[in-house]
Amino acid sequence: MKLIKWGFIGCGEVAEKKSGPAFADVEGSSVVAVMSRTEQRARTYAVRHGVQRWYTNAQQLIDDPDVNAVYVATPPSSHATYAIMAMKAGKPVYVEKPLAASYEECARINRISEQLGVPCFVAYYRRYLPYFQQVRQIIDDGLLGKILSVQVRFAVPPRELDYDHPEQLPWRLQPEIAGGGYFYDLAPHQLDLLQHIFGVILDAHGISVNRGGLYRAEDSVAACFRFENGLAGSGSWCFVAHESAREDCIEVIGSRGKVLFSVFDYQPIELTTSEGVKRIEVPNPSYVQYPIIKSVIEHLQGKAVCECTSVSATPVNWVMDRVLGKI
């Protein structure tokens, strides 16, 4: 079996909790090097997780002869740079979502991947979680009849860090780093799931505004979109809502019923048909990225095919850029 030996570019929260340990848990995979621009962070992560080497320079990690695959876990503005650096070195890449900070950068990644024949995967891990596979099964089994409409509703109060001085705001609220505000950070998971279930979105429009005045990025977004099969959808996102308005819901309406599910809270799936209301609880693995990482590794070993590639991930950025008026 081919051993996939990973180098991590970025070792922050996502690599610590959601993904990092899964790379070592999958058979035929190990983490051999990590990189952070902060020496202490790279060193302490390596020590905690038993990683052999650490770097403060991405090119040095990529050039490490023992590294044959690269995980990019940095903010979106650097995804394209690091992914292309790795692919030019002939090393497959697994990139955190969204694929990049703009649709244009996504297209650039795809061109390089195709030209060099080096695969690039994207961490839309919810596609592979049992919870969302159950939602898709409900729809595919025809329990809702003909699908008529899809609605995304998301509202949360401001986070404590949102009140910080502009120079101290988290990177997710700095559009030049994140691509936008919280919409660009959270909506990708919702939009990717919907396109995974219903097909590519071919038309999208939106209005984005800042109503709270806490930061300069958008904090409220309304959108409408149309899938390739003709299905219409809409969405509303508010990141400065009152606690009473908190909501994390996608509602799929069909001719025979409806299904409601959450994307971040994993509330029980609620299926309503003529037979009544059924609430379905589906547990997820301890490390939520484990199923997709296993799929990526097995793809690189020639044992399976992982379809969560940069090409399949790019329409998400196109939709978001259309909604925000970036293209």
Side-chain angles (χ1 to χ4, degrees):
M1 176 187 295
K2 179 181 178 181
L3 179 62
I4 309 301
K5 296 180 287 186
W6 293 92
F8 287 5
I9 298 179
C11 46
E13 181 181 0
V14 67
E16 188 73 50
K17 298 179 180 180
K18 294 182 178 180
S19 62
F23 286 92
D25 283 356
V26 177
E27 184 180 1
S29 171
S30 65
V31 183
V32 299
V34 297
M35 173 268 169
S36 172
R37 290 180 300 176
T38 305
E39 179 180 334
Q40 182 180 4
R41 176 175 291 181
R43 184 177 64 250
T44 56
Y45 185 96
V47 170
R48 278 198 315 276
H49 296 279
V51 178
Q52 302 168 14
R53 293 181 294 284
W54 56 268
Y55 298 95
T56 57
N57 181 280
Q59 191 64 61
Q60 289 179 337
L61 177 138
I62 291 169
D63 291 339
D64 186 327
D66 206 28
V67 171
N68 60 14
V70 175
Y71 172 39
V72 178
T74 59
S77 61
S78 59
H79 285 184
T81 298
Y82 291 142
I84 290 171
M85 286 169 60
M87 288 189 293
K88 285 186 174 180
K91 301 184 179 184
V93 193
Y94 177 66
V95 184
E96 269 305 321
K97 64 83 210 163
L99 174 56
S102 70
Y103 168 71
E104 183 179 359
E105 288 185 344
C106 293
R108 185 165 157 249
I109 291 172
N110 290 332
R111 286 196 299 270
I112 298 297
S113 177
E114 182 179 8
Q115 289 170 3
L116 299 178
V118 180
C120 177
F121 306 95
V122 185
Y124 283 122
Y125 61 86
R126 282 174 168 80
R127 295 189 196 182
Y128 291 79
L129 289 179
Y131 179 95
F132 300 106
Q133 291 181 336
Q134 178 65 59
V135 171
R136 182 168 186 176
Q137 192 65 53
I138 289 170
I139 295 168
D140 289 348
D141 285 348
L143 299 183
L144 305 182
K146 182 179 181 179
I147 305 302
L148 307 173
S149 178
V150 179
Q151 300 173 2
V152 180
R153 301 190 295 273
F154 188 82
V156 289
R159 306 181 189 189
E160 187 175 342
L161 291 174
D162 299 351
Y163 295 95
D164 285 350
H165 187 275
E167 295 180 356
Q168 298 175 312
L169 285 172
W171 63 260
R172 289 176 174 85
L173 291 176
Q174 300 179 45
E176 63 276 10
I177 298 177
Y182 285 130
F183 175 76
Y184 222 86
D185 182 54
L186 298 176
H189 278 303
Q190 298 160 319
L191 294 170
D192 180 74
L193 277 171
L194 292 179
Q195 294 190 93
H196 182 56
I197 296 172
F198 299 114
V200 175
I201 292 173
L202 297 181
D203 195 12
H205 305 274
I207 297 174
S208 58
V209 296
N210 185 301
R211 299 293 291 169
L214 299 179
Y215 41 79
R216 60 187 175 88
E218 78 287 341
D219 61 23
S220 300
V221 176
C224 59
F225 37 86
R226 177 176 55 85
F227 295 88
E228 60 183 335
N229 64 1
L231 175 66
S234 63
S236 65
W237 294 262
C238 182
F239 303 99
V240 289
H242 185 265
E243 177 62 36
S244 63
R246 183 185 288 272
E247 187 172 20
D248 170 17
C249 177
I250 293 182
E251 183 174 15
V252 180
I253 300 170
S255 59
R256 296 173 55 191
K258 68 177 182 179
V259 65
L260 281 77
F261 61 98
S262 62
V263 174
F264 303 100
D265 294 340
Y266 304 113
Q267 294 297 314
I269 299 164
E270 187 175 293
L271 172 63
T272 303
T273 64
S274 58
E275 297 179 0
V277 179
K278 182 179 181 181
R279 292 170 64 84
I280 307 167
E281 294 193 27
V282 183
N284 285 320
S286 299
Y287 301 120
V288 290
Q289 290 204 29
Y290 179 89
I292 188 173
I293 289 171
K294 183 174 184 289
S295 178
V296 169
I297 291 167
E298 290 181 348
H299 182 118
L300 296 177
Q301 293 171 335
K303 296 164 57 178
V305 175
C306 178
E307 297 180 348
C308 200
T309 64
S310 59
V311 172
S312 76
T314 294
V316 171
N317 283 76
W318 182 86
V319 173
M320 292 193 298
D321 283 5
R322 288 279 295 172
V323 169
L324 295 181
K326 294 171 63 175
I327 56 175

